[in-house]
Amino acid sequence: MRIGIAQLSTRAGDFEATARSMADYSRRAAEQGVDLLVYPAATLCGLTPVLGAEREGLLLDLIECLSGLMDELACPCLVPVLVDLDGEPLPDALLIDGGEVRPVRLAARLESLASGSPAGEEATSDALPEIPFRGARLGVAFTYDDLDVYDDYAYDVDVIVFLSPYGFAVDDPSSALGSSLAEGRFPADARATGAWVVGVGSLGCYDTQLCCGSSFVLAPWGELAASAPSLEEALLVCDVDPSAEGPLSNPVTPEVYDPSLLTWGALGMGLSSLVGELGSPSACVALDGSLPSLLAAVLAVDALGPTNVRAVVARGGPADAGRAGDVVRALRLPDENVTIADVASAPDADSASDLLQLRLAAVARESGAVALGSLDKTGRALEPATLSAAALQPFADLYRSDLLALARMRNAISPVLPVEALAEVRVPDVVAGEGDLGSPESRIEFVDLVLSSYVEWELSLSDIVAERGHADVVRAVVGRLRDLETDRPARVLAPTVSSRTLDEARGPVSLAWRDRPRPDAERLAARLEEFSADAPGATEAPEPASEREGAHEGDILDLLGYLRDFSAGGGFSSLDAGAGKGASGRHGGQGQPPAADPWDGPFSEN
């Protein structure tokens, strides 16, 4: 079977323009003899559902779009859609072939309920597709969990099409698809199922999620048969042979995964898209000499071009050492795009920052440019909010240590950032005096490791301390994160580049309780071990709860003992149990939690 992937960039809900592009790709695919052309998950509807009040209208227009497409598509196509099931969005895909339409996921569920599951077990409404098509049996996976089901159960499929619903996330290598095959999960999926794995990546910015493309085709033994580039539109065509046993005659060498380079490219794509969504072709940024502000200017120029970027340069501020002017000259901004803001009269650094933001707001208003900020995830989590005129914060979902890695990567391409700016790292005052953590950069890396363990991986204080030590620092970092919930803006407009944002990790602001690190003997598992009659290794039954000291506590713990089976590998798991399936994050935790050893790559191990 010859399969094609139409890796195209679209705008969610722009049905007319998208339908034209889809039809054009189908004609190009038909000319190359493609038996099945697959479109990315975000092509028509994006990756996030619309408001409930708008679902009916969207569905009606989507139906009209699909009706027209059936006459325009030049070859059989698999078209992903977001459908509504009992008020909940459910991804599905329509197999359009010769005027017939089959919703593959819904059909699989109905067939399973009617005849039993493919694995010979009890019928289920969660069955996955097994579609005879062009001499092969086709499976379609919509999530990592679906891939796990194909891995673990006896589905008889030759080809699995993975319609990735995930945006790129630094902490999930698999989200980069073909760009990170050596670090991702997909070669293991191919070997586990004995099937060809066709990874289909969306391309573009959908809501705030960044999708990098990088579609690929893997042979059942794990060799790379074909791959599409990152951050570019492409039509990928590959022959898959269900009877082949390998090796491939001309395998493709997987590229070396460079997370900082891909992140920079994704941020540039997201910045360009979001600036356009805000109704302007240009952006303006305030430069105070700090690394984040300088890096924001570099990103804006890379994404929009120097003529579409305006700079407000602080003069006389606490960080003013001529750096901002040097960067402006290195980026070749036109003189008319540069505004000098004299903040020397400000009584302190906070006042100087406020004056600079006021001038940025004035420039944005007068020029119509979108004001950019330089907040990062570390600052949003641990530092009080300050006055900001920014409409868009390109780094708000990146930790401060990640910004350092991006700056060094960008300087390796061309040295536009002053070396002194890279050496000055602002450390949140919650750990500013922790000299035993080493240099300021080491302290930032440790802080970011604690934050990512807590936010992305949802590990408890006790788990983090058990793995990292420094109990006082860990408790202070998480405590500050929670204390600033009410101070932190509910949402800032920013590209999403992690599997869990600070907004998604927001806790109840009225909660007075705060967690504390606990030794192993005080952990729930140890207490259940003490009181449960089913404890592993128990040689005699425990005393009845009524005869024990603290009978009421014993009664409660006996009751909790019934939860032992449910807690295994679940919410009571430790750090080691959190890896792999069932771990946290928007992407299902398919990466690995931060390792115990310090950082050996360009990014902190988020």
Side-chain angles (χ1 to χ4, degrees):
M1 181 172 69
R2 176 163 288 186
I3 197 163
I5 300 174
Q7 183 174 290
L8 72 164
S9 177
T10 66
R11 193 175 178 211
D14 189 0
F15 295 137
E16 185 176 346
T18 300
R20 288 196 300 269
S21 295
M22 294 174 69
D24 179 63
Y25 269 90
S26 73
R27 288 188 287 269
R28 292 167 54 193
E31 291 172 357
Q32 298 186 46
V34 167
D35 295 304
L36 178 65
L37 180 63
V38 185
Y39 296 95
T43 301
L44 284 169
C45 303
L47 298 176
T48 52
V50 298
L51 297 173
E54 298 180 340
R55 287 176 186 160
E56 179 185 357
L58 178 73
L59 180 60
L60 290 171
D61 288 346
L62 176 62
I63 292 172
E64 183 179 350
C65 171
L66 292 169
S67 298
L69 262 178
M70 290 181 63
D71 298 327
E72 295 292 331
L73 295 176
C75 64
C77 294
L78 192 64
V79 180
V81 292
L82 271 178
V83 298
D84 187 277
L85 181 65
D86 296 329
E88 294 295 328
L90 179 73
D92 205 336
L94 305 179
L95 180 58
I96 301 177
D97 183 12
E100 296 183 356
V101 181
R102 173 190 175 103
V104 297
R105 186 171 194 166
L106 178 60
R109 293 183 172 204
L110 294 176
E111 291 169 3
S112 175
L113 290 172
S115 60
S117 70
E121 300 177 358
E122 184 179 348
T124 174
S125 62
D126 295 326
L128 294 174
E130 283 182 295
I131 308 165
F133 187 84
R134 300 296 193 271
R137 294 186 65 82
L138 188 69
V140 183
F142 301 89
T143 64
Y144 290 147
D145 288 339
D146 290 347
L147 285 174
D148 291 337
V149 172
Y150 278 119
D151 290 354
D152 295 338
Y153 294 94
Y155 281 88
D156 182 17
V157 292
D158 303 306
V159 179
I160 298 174
V161 176
F162 176 56
L163 300 169
S164 176
Y166 307 118
F168 170 67
V170 174
D171 55 292
D172 176 17
S174 294
S175 68
L177 296 178
S179 296
S180 60
L181 284 175
E183 288 81 6
R185 60 170 291 157
F186 303 109
D189 289 320
R191 290 188 287 267
T193 58
W196 294 79
V197 174
V198 179
V200 185
S202 299
L203 177 65
C205 182
Y206 297 93
D207 191 7
T208 59
Q209 296 184 59
L210 308 180
C211 300
C212 300
S214 296
S215 303
F216 65 88
V217 179
L218 278 177
W221 47 92
E223 278 188 303
L224 180 59
S227 64
S230 302
L231 306 172
E232 296 179 26
E233 290 194 338
L235 174 61
L236 183 66
V237 176
C238 182
D239 291 321
V240 298
D241 182 1
S243 64
E245 297 181 356
L248 296 173
S249 57
N250 293 298
V252 177
T253 302
E255 61 182 276
V256 176
Y257 181 43
D258 188 337
S260 56
L261 185 61
L262 185 59
T263 301
W264 187 259
L267 285 173
M269 176 183 66
L271 176 63
S272 176
S273 177
L274 292 173
V275 165
E277 291 292 342
L278 291 172
S280 176
S282 60
C284 56
V285 60
L287 305 184
D288 61 6
S290 66
L291 177 62
S293 71
L294 302 178
L295 192 62
V298 177
L299 178 66
V301 168
D302 284 0
L304 305 173
T307 59
N308 290 319
V309 177
R310 296 178 178 273
V312 181
V313 178
R315 176 177 292 168
D320 182 14
R323 300 172 189 164
D326 292 342
V327 170
V328 164
R329 286 186 289 273
L331 295 175
R332 301 183 184 277
L333 297 185
D335 291 342
E336 61 270 20
N337 285 11
V338 180
T339 300
I340 302 299
D342 191 346
V343 297
S345 60
D348 51 48
D350 290 339
S351 300
S353 175
D354 292 346
L355 288 175
L356 185 60
Q357 290 299 313
L358 290 172
R359 194 61 185 274
L360 176 65
V363 169
R365 182 176 61 253
E366 294 164 1
S367 65
V370 174
L372 305 182
S374 55
L375 282 176
D376 57 39
K377 199 169 187 175
T378 308
R380 290 194 67 218
L382 302 179
E383 295 170 346
T386 58
L387 179 67
S388 175
L392 175 61
Q393 296 281 359
F395 303 137
D397 199 32
L398 275 171
Y399 291 108
R400 195 161 295 170
S401 52
D402 295 339
L403 290 191
L404 279 170
L406 287 177
R408 288 170 178 146
M409 179 279 303
R410 184 57 182 81
N411 259 16
I413 297 174
S414 60
V416 294
L417 294 166
V419 176
E420 315 87 69
L422 274 69
E424 294 181 4
V425 184
R426 190 173 74 252
V427 181
D429 60 11
V430 69
V431 293
E434 294 294 331
D436 58 337
L437 289 174
S439 66
E441 185 173 343
S442 296
R443 295 201 291 275
I444 283 294
E445 289 175 336
F446 187 83
V447 166
D448 290 346
L449 192 56
V450 171
L451 286 172
S452 61
S453 298
Y454 189 82
V455 172
E456 276 87 355
W457 294 97
E458 295 187 87
L459 300 177
S460 70
L461 267 71
S462 299
D463 285 332
I464 300 171
V465 170
E467 192 71 15
R468 313 292 177 191
H470 301 285
D472 291 341
V473 177
V474 173
R475 188 172 184 175
V477 168
V478 175
R480 175 69 63 84
L481 172 70
R482 286 293 167 231
D483 290 342
L484 293 181
E485 292 284 15
T486 54
D487 187 67
R488 191 178 307 123
R491 184 185 181 187
V492 297
L493 182 60
T496 300
V497 287
S498 74
S499 62
R500 199 159 187 255
T501 66
L502 288 177
D503 298 323
E504 292 169 327
R506 185 180 293 271
V509 296
S510 59
L511 184 64
W513 173 84
R514 291 288 185 269
D515 199 4
R516 60 180 176 82
R518 304 165 196 270
D520 289 344
E522 294 182 16
R523 302 293 300 275
L524 183 57
R527 303 193 74 178
L528 287 175
E529 186 78 19
E530 178 184 354
F531 286 96
S532 173
D534 296 327
T539 57
E540 58 182 48
E543 300 176 61
S546 59
E547 298 178 12
R548 292 197 299 261
E549 186 175 344
H552 293 303
E553 182 184 13
D555 289 337
I556 294 172
L557 288 168
D558 282 343
L559 179 60
L560 289 175
Y562 291 110
L563 299 177
R564 174 181 298 277
D565 291 339
F566 299 101
S567 70
F572 301 150
S573 300
S574 65
L575 176 65
D576 292 336
K581 300 176 186 177
S584 304
R586 184 188 304 107
H587 297 188
Q590 292 299 318
Q592 291 293 324
D597 294 331
W599 311 265
D600 58 4
F603 271 49
S604 60
E605 296 189 70
N606 297 332

